[in-house]
Amino acid sequence: MPTFPRRLSLIAVGLVLTGAAVLTIAPDPSALTDGLIDWVKDETGRELTIAGGLGFSLLPYPALVVEGASLAGAPLIRAARAEVGLQPWALLSGRVEPTRLRLTGVRIA
């Protein structure tokens, strides 16, 4: 088998196994939502509202996806979607380590 297809198939298998491991150890979404809301309140003193819930994305990198988030206060901040990139190796050991933040549909009032 040529080298490139072999490497590509190994990468695909690695992604599938990582995805299966993440989904196996992923916490209950409602507990994660409550934890995220509490963390934001502790860090900023502001109330976080999540209208669309939480989800996980595996590609192009593992991420926690928040739909319809808003942060109360002056100014009011809303985001249609927020993706928090997660360190894959930390997830496999049960830790959540953010690596990047991507916001779309941001409005500040």
Side-chain angles (χ1 to χ4, degrees):
M1 179 184 259
T3 304
F4 181 72
R6 173 181 277 165
R7 287 185 183 164
L8 189 59
S9 63
L10 289 174
I11 290 169
V13 168
L15 284 173
V16 169
L17 292 176
T18 302
V22 167
L23 292 176
T24 302
I25 64 170
D28 176 35
S30 63
L32 193 54
T33 302
D34 294 340
L36 182 60
I37 290 171
D38 292 343
W39 179 80
V40 168
K41 178 72 173 178
D42 291 343
E43 292 293 316
T44 66
R46 301 169 113 189
E47 292 292 328
L48 174 68
T49 304
I50 300 173
L54 291 177
F56 291 101
S57 171
L58 293 176
L59 295 173
Y61 50 84
L64 178 64
V65 179
V66 181
E67 299 285 346
S70 62
L71 194 57
L76 174 68
I77 302 170
R78 293 185 180 147
R81 181 180 175 100
E83 293 179 21
V84 181
L86 304 172
Q87 179 60 254
W89 300 116
L91 285 174
L92 293 174
S93 63
R95 296 185 330 265
V96 176
E97 290 182 16
T99 58
R100 67 185 76 178
L101 175 64
R102 180 179 178 191
L103 301 173
T104 53
V106 177
R107 291 188 177 169
I108 301 174

Coordinates of all heavy atoms in Angstrom, one line a residue:
M1 N 0.8 -1.2 0.0 CA 0.0 0.0 0.0 C 0.9 1.2 0.0 O 1.8 1.3 0.8 CB -0.9 0.0 1.3 CG -1.8 1.2 1.4 SD -2.8 1.2 2.9 CE -4.3 0.6 2.3
P2 N 0.6 2.2 -0.9 CA 1.4 3.5 -0.9 C 1.3 4.2 0.5 O 0.4 4.1 1.2 CB 0.8 4.3 -2.0 CG 0.1 3.3 -2.9 CD -0.3 2.2 -2.0
T3 N 2.4 5.0 0.7 CA 2.5 5.7 2.0 C 1.4 6.6 2.3 O 0.8 6.7 3.4 CB 3.9 6.4 2.1 OG1 4.9 5.4 1.8 CG2 4.1 7.0 3.4
F4 N 1.0 7.5 1.3 CA 0.0 8.5 1.6 C -1.3 7.9 2.0 O -1.9 8.3 3.0 CB -0.1 9.5 0.4 CG -1.1 10.6 0.6 CD1 -0.8 11.6 1.5 CD2 -2.3 10.5 0.0 CE1 -1.8 12.6 1.7 CE2 -3.3 11.5 0.2 CZ -3.0 12.6 1.1
P5 N -1.9 7.0 1.2 CA -3.2 6.4 1.6 C -3.1 5.7 3.0 O -4.1 5.7 3.7 CB -3.5 5.4 0.5 CG -2.8 5.9 -0.7 CD -1.5 6.5 -0.1
R6 N -2.0 5.1 3.3 CA -1.8 4.4 4.6 C -1.9 5.4 5.7 O -2.6 5.2 6.7 CB -0.5 3.6 4.6 CG -0.3 3.1 6.0 CD 1.0 2.3 6.1 NE 0.8 1.0 5.6 CZ 1.7 0.1 5.3 NH1 3.0 0.5 5.3 NH2 1.4 -1.1 4.9
R7 N -1.2 6.5 5.5 CA -1.2 7.6 6.5 C -2.6 8.2 6.7 O -3.1 8.5 7.8 CB -0.2 8.7 6.2 CG 1.2 8.2 6.4 CD 2.2 9.4 6.2 NE 3.5 8.9 6.4 CZ 4.6 9.5 6.0 NH1 4.5 10.7 5.4 NH2 5.8 9.0 6.2
L8 N -3.3 8.4 5.6 CA -4.6 9.0 5.6 C -5.6 8.0 6.3 O -6.4 8.5 7.1 CB -5.1 9.2 4.2 CG -6.4 10.0 4.0 CD1 -6.3 11.4 4.7 CD2 -6.7 10.2 2.6
S9 N -5.5 6.7 6.1 CA -6.3 5.8 6.7 C -6.0 5.7 8.2 O -6.9 5.6 9.1 CB -6.3 4.4 6.1 OG -5.0 3.9 6.2
L10 N -4.7 5.8 8.6 CA -4.4 5.8 10.0 C -4.9 7.1 10.7 O -5.4 7.0 11.9 CB -2.9 5.7 10.2 CG -2.2 4.4 9.9 CD1 -0.7 4.5 9.9 CD2 -2.7 3.3 10.8
I11 N -4.9 8.2 10.1 CA -5.4 9.4 10.6 C -6.9 9.3 10.8 O -7.5 9.7 11.8 CB -5.1 10.6 9.7 CG1 -3.6 10.9 9.8 CG2 -5.9 11.9 10.1 CD1 -3.1 11.9 8.8
A12 N -7.6 8.7 9.8 CA -9.1 8.5 9.9 C -9.4 7.6 11.1 O -10.4 7.9 11.8 CB -9.6 8.0 8.6
V13 N -8.7 6.5 11.2 CA -8.9 5.6 12.3 C -8.7 6.3 13.7 O -9.5 6.2 14.6 CB -8.1 4.3 12.2 CG1 -8.1 3.5 13.5 CG2 -8.5 3.5 11.0
G14 N -7.6 7.1 13.7 CA -7.3 7.9 14.9 C -8.4 8.8 15.3 O -8.8 9.0 16.5
L15 N -9.0 9.5 14.3 CA -10.1 10.4 14.6 C -11.3 9.7 15.1 O -12.0 10.2 16.0 CB -10.4 11.2 13.3 CG -9.5 12.4 13.0 CD1 -9.8 12.9 11.6 CD2 -9.5 13.4 14.0
V16 N -11.6 8.6 14.5 CA -12.8 7.8 14.9 C -12.6 7.3 16.4 O -13.5 7.4 17.2 CB -13.1 6.6 14.0 CG1 -14.1 5.7 14.5 CG2 -13.5 7.1 12.6
L17 N -11.4 6.8 16.7 CA -11.2 6.3 18.0 C -11.2 7.5 19.0 O -11.8 7.3 20.1 CB -9.9 5.6 18.1 CG -9.8 4.3 17.4 CD1 -8.4 3.7 17.4 CD2 -10.8 3.3 17.9
T18 N -10.6 8.6 18.7 CA -10.7 9.8 19.6 C -12.1 10.3 19.8 O -12.5 10.6 20.9 CB -9.8 11.0 19.0 OG1 -8.5 10.5 18.8 CG2 -9.9 12.2 19.9
G19 N -12.9 10.3 18.7 CA -14.3 10.7 18.8 C -15.1 9.8 19.7 O -15.9 10.2 20.6
A20 N -14.9 8.5 19.6 CA -15.5 7.5 20.4 C -15.1 7.7 21.9 O -16.0 7.6 22.8 CB -15.2 6.1 19.9
A21 N -13.9 7.9 22.1 CA -13.4 8.1 23.5 C -14.0 9.4 24.1 O -14.5 9.4 25.3 CB -11.9 8.2 23.6
V22 N -14.0 10.5 23.3 CA -14.6 11.7 23.8 C -16.1 11.5 24.2 O -16.6 12.0 25.2 CB -14.4 12.9 22.8 CG1 -15.2 14.1 23.2 CG2 -12.9 13.2 22.8
L23 N -16.8 10.9 23.3 CA -18.3 10.7 23.5 C -18.5 9.8 24.7 O -19.5 9.9 25.4 CB -18.9 10.1 22.3 CG -19.0 11.1 21.1 CD1 -19.6 10.4 19.9 CD2 -19.8 12.4 21.5
T24 N -17.6 8.8 25.0 CA -17.7 7.9 26.1 C -17.5 8.7 27.4 O -18.3 8.4 28.4 CB -16.7 6.8 26.0 OG1 -17.0 6.1 24.7 CG2 -16.9 5.8 27.1
I25 N -16.5 9.6 27.5 CA -16.2 10.2 28.7 C -16.9 11.6 28.9 O -16.8 12.2 29.9 CB -14.7 10.4 28.9 CG1 -14.1 11.3 27.8 CG2 -14.0 9.1 29.0 CD1 -12.7 11.7 28.1
A26 N -17.6 12.0 27.8 CA -18.2 13.4 27.9 C -19.3 13.4 29.0 O -20.1 12.5 29.2 CB -18.9 13.7 26.6
P27 N -19.2 14.5 29.8 CA -20.2 14.6 30.9 C -21.6 14.9 30.4 O -21.8 15.2 29.2 CB -19.7 15.8 31.7 CG -18.8 16.6 30.7 CD -18.3 15.6 29.7
D28 N -22.6 14.7 31.3 CA -24.0 15.0 31.0 C -24.1 16.4 30.5 O -23.6 17.3 31.2 CB -24.8 14.7 32.2 CG -26.2 15.0 32.0 OD1 -26.8 14.8 30.9 OD2 -26.9 15.5 33.0
P29 N -24.7 16.7 29.4 CA -24.8 18.1 28.9 C -25.5 19.0 29.9 O -25.1 20.2 30.0 CB -25.7 18.0 27.6 CG -25.5 16.6 27.2 CD -25.3 15.8 28.4
S30 N -26.5 18.6 30.6 CA -27.2 19.5 31.6 C -26.2 19.9 32.7 O -26.2 21.0 33.2 CB -28.4 18.9 32.1 OG -28.2 17.7 32.8
A31 N -25.4 18.9 33.2 CA -24.4 19.2 34.2 C -23.3 20.1 33.7 O -22.8 21.0 34.4 CB -23.8 17.9 34.7
L32 N -22.9 19.9 32.4 CA -21.9 20.8 31.8 C -22.5 22.2 31.6 O -21.8 23.2 31.8 CB -21.5 20.2 30.4 CG -20.3 20.8 29.8 CD1 -19.1 20.7 30.7 CD2 -20.0 20.0 28.5
T33 N -23.8 22.3 31.2 CA -24.4 23.6 31.1 C -24.4 24.4 32.4 O -24.0 25.5 32.5 CB -25.8 23.5 30.6 OG1 -25.8 22.8 29.3 CG2 -26.5 24.8 30.4
D34 N -24.8 23.7 33.5 CA -24.8 24.3 34.8 C -23.4 24.7 35.3 O -23.2 25.8 35.8 CB -25.4 23.4 35.9 CG -26.9 23.1 35.6 OD1 -27.5 23.9 34.9 OD2 -27.4 22.1 36.1
G35 N -22.4 23.9 35.0 CA -21.1 24.2 35.4 C -20.5 25.4 34.6 O -19.9 26.2 35.2
L36 N -20.9 25.5 33.3 CA -20.4 26.6 32.5 C -21.1 27.9 33.0 O -20.4 28.9 33.1 CB -20.8 26.3 31.0 CG -20.3 27.4 30.0 CD1 -18.8 27.6 30.1 CD2 -20.8 27.0 28.7
I37 N -22.4 27.9 33.3 CA -23.1 29.0 33.8 C -22.5 29.5 35.1 O -22.2 30.7 35.3 CB -24.6 28.8 33.9 CG1 -25.2 28.6 32.5 CG2 -25.3 29.8 34.7 CD1 -26.6 28.2 32.5
D38 N -22.2 28.5 36.0 CA -21.6 28.9 37.3 C -20.2 29.5 37.1 O -19.8 30.4 37.8 CB -21.5 27.7 38.2 CG -22.9 27.2 38.7 OD1 -23.9 28.0 38.6 OD2 -23.0 26.0 39.1
W39 N -19.4 28.9 36.2 CA -18.0 29.4 36.0 C -18.0 30.8 35.5 O -17.3 31.6 36.0 CB -17.3 28.4 35.0 CG -15.9 28.9 34.8 CD1 -14.8 28.7 35.5 CD2 -15.5 29.6 33.6 NE1 -13.7 29.2 35.0 CE2 -14.1 29.8 33.8 CE3 -16.1 30.1 32.5 CZ2 -13.3 30.5 32.8 CZ3 -15.3 30.8 31.6 CH2 -14.0 31.0 31.7
V40 N -18.9 31.1 34.5 CA -19.0 32.4 34.0 C -19.4 33.4 35.0 O -18.9 34.5 35.2 CB -20.0 32.5 32.8 CG1 -20.3 33.9 32.3 CG2 -19.4 31.7 31.6
K41 N -20.4 33.0 35.9 CA -20.8 33.9 37.0 C -19.7 34.2 38.0 O -19.5 35.3 38.4 CB -22.0 33.2 37.7 CG -22.5 34.0 38.9 CD -23.3 35.2 38.5 CE -23.9 35.9 39.7 NZ -24.6 37.1 39.3
D42 N -18.9 33.2 38.3 CA -17.8 33.3 39.2 C -16.7 34.2 38.6 O -16.1 35.0 39.3 CB -17.2 32.0 39.6 CG -18.1 31.1 40.5 OD1 -19.0 31.7 41.0 OD2 -17.8 29.9 40.5
E43 N -16.4 34.1 37.3 CA -15.3 34.8 36.7 C -15.7 36.2 36.3 O -14.9 37.1 36.4 CB -14.9 34.1 35.4 CG -14.2 32.7 35.7 CD -12.9 32.9 36.3 OE1 -12.1 33.8 36.0 OE2 -12.6 32.1 37.3
T44 N -17.0 36.4 35.9 CA -17.3 37.8 35.4 C -18.4 38.5 36.3 O -18.5 39.7 36.1 CB -17.9 37.7 34.0 OG1 -19.2 36.9 34.0 CG2 -17.0 37.0 33.0
G45 N -19.1 37.8 37.1 CA -20.1 38.4 37.9 C -21.4 38.6 37.1 O -22.3 39.2 37.5
R46 N -21.4 38.1 35.9 CA -22.6 38.2 34.9 C -23.3 36.9 34.7 O -22.7 35.8 34.8 CB -22.1 38.8 33.6 CG -21.4 40.1 33.8 CD -20.7 40.5 32.5 NE -21.4 41.7 32.0 CZ -21.1 42.2 30.8 NH1 -20.3 41.6 30.0 NH2 -21.7 43.3 30.3
E47 N -24.6 37.0 34.4 CA -25.4 35.8 34.1 C -25.2 35.4 32.6 O -25.4 36.2 31.7 CB -26.8 36.1 34.4 CG -27.2 36.3 35.8 CD -27.0 35.1 36.7 OE1 -27.2 34.0 36.2 OE2 -26.6 35.2 37.9
L48 N -24.9 34.1 32.4 CA -24.8 33.5 31.1 C -26.1 32.8 30.8 O -26.6 32.0 31.7 CB -23.7 32.6 31.0 CG -23.6 31.8 29.7 CD1 -23.2 32.7 28.5 CD2 -22.5 30.7 29.8
T49 N -26.8 33.1 29.7 CA -28.0 32.4 29.3 C -27.6 31.6 28.0 O -27.1 32.2 27.1 CB -29.1 33.4 29.0 OG1 -29.3 34.2 30.2 CG2 -30.4 32.7 28.6
I50 N -28.0 30.3 28.0 CA -27.8 29.5 26.8 C -29.2 29.1 26.3 O -29.8 28.3 26.9 CB -26.9 28.3 27.2 CG1 -25.6 28.7 27.7 CG2 -26.8 27.4 26.0 CD1 -24.7 27.6 28.2
A51 N -29.5 29.7 25.2 CA -30.9 29.4 24.6 C -30.9 28.1 23.8 O -31.9 27.5 23.8 CB -31.3 30.6 23.7
G52 N -29.8 27.8 23.1 CA -29.9 26.6 22.2 C -29.2 25.4 22.7 O -29.3 24.4 22.1
G53 N -28.6 25.4 23.9 CA -28.0 24.2 24.5 C -26.6 24.1 24.1 O -26.0 24.9 23.4
L54 N -26.0 23.0 24.5 CA -24.6 22.7 24.3 C -24.5 21.4 23.4 O -25.3 20.6 23.5 CB -23.9 22.4 25.6 CG -23.7 23.5 26.6 CD1 -23.0 23.0 27.9 CD2 -22.8 24.6 26.0
G55 N -23.4 21.3 22.7 CA -23.1 20.2 21.9 C -21.6 20.0 21.8 O -20.8 20.8 22.3
F56 N -21.2 18.9 21.1 CA -19.8 18.7 20.9 C -19.5 18.6 19.4 O -20.4 18.1 18.6 CB -19.3 17.4 21.5 CG -19.3 17.4 23.0 CD1 -20.3 16.8 23.7 CD2 -18.2 18.0 23.7 CE1 -20.3 16.9 25.1 CE2 -18.2 18.0 25.0 CZ -19.2 17.5 25.8
S57 N -18.4 19.1 18.9 CA -18.0 19.0 17.6 C -16.6 18.3 17.6 O -15.8 18.6 18.4 CB -17.9 20.4 17.0 OG -17.3 20.3 15.7
L58 N -16.4 17.4 16.7 CA -15.1 16.7 16.6 C -14.1 17.2 15.5 O -12.9 17.1 15.7 CB -15.3 15.2 16.4 CG -15.9 14.5 17.6 CD1 -16.2 13.0 17.2 CD2 -15.1 14.6 18.8
L59 N -14.7 17.8 14.5 CA -13.9 18.3 13.4 C -14.1 19.7 13.1 O -15.3 20.2 13.3 CB -14.2 17.5 12.1 CG -13.8 16.0 12.1 CD1 -14.3 15.3 10.9 CD2 -12.3 15.8 12.3
P60 N -13.2 20.6 12.8 CA -11.8 20.2 12.5 C -11.0 20.0 13.7 O -9.8 19.5 13.6 CB -11.3 21.4 11.7 CG -12.2 22.6 12.2 CD -13.5 22.0 12.6
Y61 N -11.5 20.3 14.9 CA -10.8 20.0 16.2 C -11.9 19.8 17.2 O -13.1 20.3 17.1 CB -10.0 21.2 16.6 CG -10.7 22.6 16.5 CD1 -11.4 23.0 17.6 CD2 -10.6 23.4 15.4 CE1 -12.1 24.2 17.6 CE2 -11.3 24.6 15.4 CZ -12.0 25.0 16.5 OH -12.7 26.2 16.4
P62 N -11.6 19.1 18.3 CA -12.7 18.9 19.3 C -13.1 20.2 19.9 O -12.2 21.0 20.3 CB -12.0 18.0 20.4 CG -10.8 17.4 19.6 CD -10.4 18.4 18.6
A63 N -14.4 20.4 20.0 CA -14.9 21.7 20.5 C -16.2 21.5 21.2 O -17.0 20.6 20.9 CB -15.0 22.7 19.4
L64 N -16.4 22.3 22.2 CA -17.7 22.5 22.9 C -18.4 23.6 22.1 O -17.9 24.6 21.9 CB -17.5 22.9 24.4 CG -18.7 23.1 25.2 CD1 -19.5 21.8 25.4 CD2 -18.3 23.6 26.6
V65 N -19.7 23.3 21.7 CA -20.4 24.2 20.9 C -21.6 24.7 21.7 O -22.4 24.0 22.2 CB -20.9 23.6 19.6 CG1 -21.7 24.5 18.8 CG2 -19.8 23.0 18.8
V66 N -21.7 26.1 21.8 CA -22.8 26.7 22.6 C -23.6 27.5 21.5 O -23.1 28.3 20.8 CB -22.2 27.7 23.6 CG1 -23.4 28.4 24.4 CG2 -21.3 27.0 24.6
E67 N -24.9 27.2 21.5 CA -25.8 27.9 20.5 C -26.7 28.9 21.3 O -27.2 28.6 22.3 CB -26.7 26.8 19.9 CG -26.0 25.8 19.1 CD -25.5 26.3 17.7 OE1 -25.9 27.4 17.3 OE2 -24.7 25.6 17.1
G68 N -26.7 30.1 20.8 CA -27.6 31.1 21.3 C -27.2 31.5 22.7 O -28.0 31.5 23.6
A69 N -26.0 32.0 22.9 CA -25.5 32.4 24.3 C -25.6 33.9 24.4 O -25.4 34.6 23.4 CB -24.1 32.0 24.5
S70 N -26.0 34.4 25.6 CA -25.9 35.8 25.9 C -25.4 36.0 27.3 O -25.6 35.2 28.2 CB -27.3 36.4 25.7 OG -28.2 35.9 26.6
L71 N -24.7 37.1 27.4 CA -24.1 37.5 28.7 C -24.8 38.8 29.1 O -24.7 39.8 28.5 CB -22.6 37.7 28.5 CG -21.7 37.8 29.7 CD1 -21.9 36.6 30.6 CD2 -20.3 38.0 29.3
A72 N -25.5 38.8 30.3 CA -26.3 39.9 30.8 C -25.4 41.0 31.3 O -24.3 40.7 31.7 CB -27.3 39.4 31.8
G73 N -25.9 42.2 31.4 CA -25.1 43.3 31.9 C -25.0 44.4 30.9 O -25.6 44.4 29.9
A74 N -24.2 45.4 31.3 CA -24.0 46.5 30.4 C -22.6 46.5 29.9 O -21.7 46.6 30.7 CB -24.3 47.8 31.1
P75 N -22.3 46.2 28.7 CA -23.2 46.0 27.6 C -23.7 44.5 27.5 O -23.0 43.7 28.0 CB -22.4 46.3 26.3 CG -21.0 45.9 26.7 CD -20.9 46.2 28.2
L76 N -24.9 44.4 26.9 CA -25.4 43.0 26.7 C -24.7 42.4 25.5 O -24.5 43.1 24.5 CB -26.9 43.1 26.4 CG -27.6 41.8 26.0 CD1 -27.6 40.8 27.2 CD2 -29.0 42.0 25.5
I77 N -24.1 41.2 25.7 CA -23.4 40.5 24.6 C -24.1 39.3 24.2 O -24.5 38.5 25.1 CB -22.0 40.2 25.1 CG1 -21.2 41.5 25.5 CG2 -21.2 39.5 23.9 CD1 -19.9 41.3 26.1
R78 N -24.4 39.1 22.9 CA -25.0 37.9 22.4 C -24.2 37.3 21.3 O -23.5 38.0 20.5 CB -26.4 38.2 21.8 CG -27.4 38.7 22.8 CD -28.7 38.8 22.2 NE -29.7 39.2 23.2 CZ -30.7 40.0 23.0 NH1 -30.9 40.5 21.8 NH2 -31.5 40.4 24.0
A79 N -24.2 36.0 21.2 CA -23.5 35.2 20.2 C -24.4 34.1 19.7 O -25.0 33.4 20.5 CB -22.2 34.6 20.7
A80 N -24.6 34.1 18.4 CA -25.4 33.0 17.8 C -24.7 31.7 18.0 O -25.4 30.7 18.3 CB -25.6 33.3 16.3
R81 N -23.4 31.6 18.0 CA -22.7 30.4 18.2 C -21.3 30.6 18.7 O -20.6 31.6 18.3 CB -22.6 29.6 16.8 CG -21.9 28.3 16.9 CD -21.8 27.7 15.5 NE -21.1 26.5 15.4 CZ -21.6 25.3 15.4 NH1 -22.9 25.1 15.4 NH2 -20.9 24.2 15.3
A82 N -20.9 29.9 19.7 CA -19.6 29.9 20.3 C -19.0 28.5 20.3 O -19.6 27.6 20.7 CB -19.6 30.5 21.7
E83 N -17.8 28.4 19.7 CA -17.1 27.1 19.8 C -15.8 27.3 20.6 O -15.0 28.2 20.4 CB -16.6 26.7 18.3 CG -17.8 26.4 17.4 CD -17.3 26.1 16.0 OE1 -16.1 25.7 15.9 OE2 -18.1 26.2 15.1
V84 N -15.7 26.5 21.6 CA -14.6 26.5 22.5 C -13.7 25.3 22.2 O -14.2 24.1 22.4 CB -15.0 26.4 24.0 CG1 -13.8 26.5 24.9 CG2 -16.0 27.6 24.3
G85 N -12.6 25.5 21.6 CA -11.7 24.4 21.2 C -11.1 23.7 22.5 O -10.8 24.4 23.5
L86 N -11.1 22.4 22.4 CA -10.6 21.6 23.6 C -9.4 20.8 23.3 O -9.2 20.3 22.2 CB -11.7 20.7 24.1 CG -13.1 21.4 24.4 CD1 -14.1 20.3 24.6 CD2 -12.9 22.3 25.6
Q87 N -8.5 20.7 24.2 CA -7.3 19.9 24.1 C -7.7 18.4 24.1 O -8.2 17.9 25.1 CB -6.3 20.2 25.2 CG -5.1 19.4 25.2 CD -4.2 19.7 24.0 OE1 -4.2 18.8 23.2 NE2 -3.6 20.8 23.9
P88 N -7.5 17.7 23.0 CA -7.9 16.3 22.9 C -7.3 15.4 24.0 O -8.0 14.6 24.6 CB -7.5 15.8 21.5 CG -7.2 17.0 20.8 CD -6.8 18.1 21.8
W89 N -6.0 15.5 24.3 CA -5.4 14.6 25.3 C -5.9 14.9 26.7 O -6.0 14.0 27.5 CB -3.9 14.8 25.2 CG -3.3 14.4 23.8 CD1 -2.7 15.2 23.0 CD2 -3.4 13.1 23.2 NE1 -2.4 14.6 21.8 CE2 -2.8 13.3 21.9 CE3 -4.0 11.9 23.5 CZ2 -2.8 12.2 21.0 CZ3 -3.9 10.9 22.6 CH2 -3.3 11.0 21.4
A90 N -6.2 16.1 27.0 CA -6.8 16.4 28.3 C -8.2 15.8 28.4 O -8.5 15.3 29.5 CB -6.9 18.0 28.5
L91 N -9.0 15.8 27.3 CA -10.3 15.2 27.3 C -10.2 13.7 27.7 O -11.0 13.1 28.4 CB -11.0 15.3 26.0 CG -11.6 16.7 25.7 CD1 -12.2 16.7 24.3 CD2 -12.7 17.1 26.7
L92 N -9.2 13.0 27.1 CA -9.0 11.6 27.3 C -8.7 11.3 28.8 O -8.9 10.2 29.2 CB -8.0 11.0 26.4 CG -8.3 11.0 24.9 CD1 -7.1 10.6 24.1 CD2 -9.5 10.2 24.6
S93 N -8.1 12.3 29.5 CA -7.9 12.1 30.9 C -8.9 12.7 31.8 O -8.7 12.8 33.0 CB -6.5 12.6 31.2 OG -6.4 14.0 31.0
G94 N -10.0 13.1 31.2 CA -11.2 13.6 32.0 C -11.1 15.1 32.3 O -11.9 15.6 33.2
R95 N -10.2 15.9 31.7 CA -10.0 17.3 32.0 C -10.5 18.1 30.8 O -10.4 17.6 29.7 CB -8.6 17.7 32.3 CG -8.0 17.1 33.5 CD -6.6 17.6 33.8 NE -5.8 17.9 32.7 CZ -4.9 17.1 32.0 NH1 -4.8 15.9 32.5 NH2 -4.3 17.5 31.0
V96 N -11.0 19.3 31.0 CA -11.4 20.2 30.0 C -10.4 21.4 29.9 O -10.3 22.1 30.9 CB -12.8 20.7 30.1 CG1 -13.1 21.7 29.1 CG2 -13.8 19.6 30.1
E97 N -9.6 21.5 28.9 CA -8.6 22.5 28.7 C -8.9 23.3 27.4 O -8.7 22.8 26.3 CB -7.2 22.0 28.6 CG -6.7 21.4 29.9 CD -5.2 20.9 29.8 OE1 -4.5 21.3 28.9 OE2 -4.8 20.2 30.7
P98 N -9.5 24.5 27.5 CA -9.8 25.3 26.3 C -8.5 25.7 25.5 O -7.5 26.0 26.2 CB -10.5 26.5 26.8 CG -10.8 26.2 28.2 CD -9.9 25.2 28.7
T99 N -8.5 25.6 24.2 CA -7.4 26.0 23.4 C -7.7 27.2 22.5 O -6.8 27.9 22.1 CB -6.9 24.9 22.5 OG1 -8.0 24.5 21.7 CG2 -6.5 23.7 23.3
R100 N -8.9 27.4 22.2 CA -9.3 28.6 21.3 C -10.8 28.9 21.5 O -11.5 28.0 21.9 CB -9.0 28.3 19.8 CG -9.8 27.2 19.3 CD -9.5 26.8 17.9 NE -8.3 26.0 18.0 CZ -7.6 25.5 17.0 NH1 -8.1 25.6 15.8 NH2 -6.5 24.8 17.1
L101 N -11.2 30.1 21.1 CA -12.6 30.5 21.1 C -12.9 31.1 19.8 O -12.2 32.0 19.3 CB -12.8 31.5 22.2 CG -14.2 32.1 22.4 CD1 -15.2 31.1 22.7 CD2 -14.2 33.2 23.4
R102 N -14.1 30.6 19.2 CA -14.5 31.2 17.9 C -16.0 31.6 18.1 O -16.8 30.8 18.5 CB -14.4 30.1 16.9 CG -14.9 30.6 15.5 CD -14.7 29.5 14.5 NE -15.2 29.9 13.2 CZ -15.3 29.1 12.2 NH1 -15.0 27.9 12.3 NH2 -15.8 29.6 11.1
L103 N -16.3 32.9 17.9 CA -17.6 33.4 18.0 C -18.2 33.8 16.7 O -17.5 34.4 15.9 CB -17.6 34.6 18.9 CG -17.1 34.5 20.4 CD1 -17.0 35.8 21.0 CD2 -18.0 33.5 21.1
T104 N -19.4 33.5 16.4 CA -20.1 33.9 15.2 C -21.4 34.6 15.6 O -22.1 34.2 16.6 CB -20.4 32.7 14.2 OG1 -21.1 31.7 14.9 CG2 -19.1 32.2 13.7
G105 N -21.8 35.5 14.8 CA -23.1 36.2 15.0 C -23.1 37.0 16.3 O -24.1 37.0 17.1
V106 N -22.0 37.7 16.6 CA -21.9 38.5 17.9 C -22.6 39.8 17.7 O -22.4 40.5 16.7 CB -20.4 38.7 18.2 CG1 -20.3 39.6 19.5 CG2 -19.7 37.4 18.4
R107 N -23.4 40.2 18.8 CA -24.0 41.5 18.9 C -23.8 42.1 20.3 O -23.9 41.4 21.3 CB -25.5 41.4 18.6 CG -25.9 41.0 17.2 CD -27.3 41.1 17.0 NE -27.6 40.8 15.6 CZ -28.8 40.6 15.2 NH1 -29.8 40.6 16.0 NH2 -29.0 40.3 13.9
I108 N -23.4 43.3 20.3 CA -23.2 44.0 21.6 C -24.1 45.2 21.6 O -24.2 46.0 20.7 CB -21.7 44.5 21.7 CG1 -20.8 43.3 21.6 CG2 -21.5 45.3 23.0 CD1 -19.3 43.7 21.5
A109 N -25.0 45.2 22.7 CA -25.9 46.3 22.8 C -25.6 47.1 24.0 O -25.3 46.6 25.1 CB -27.3 45.8 22.9

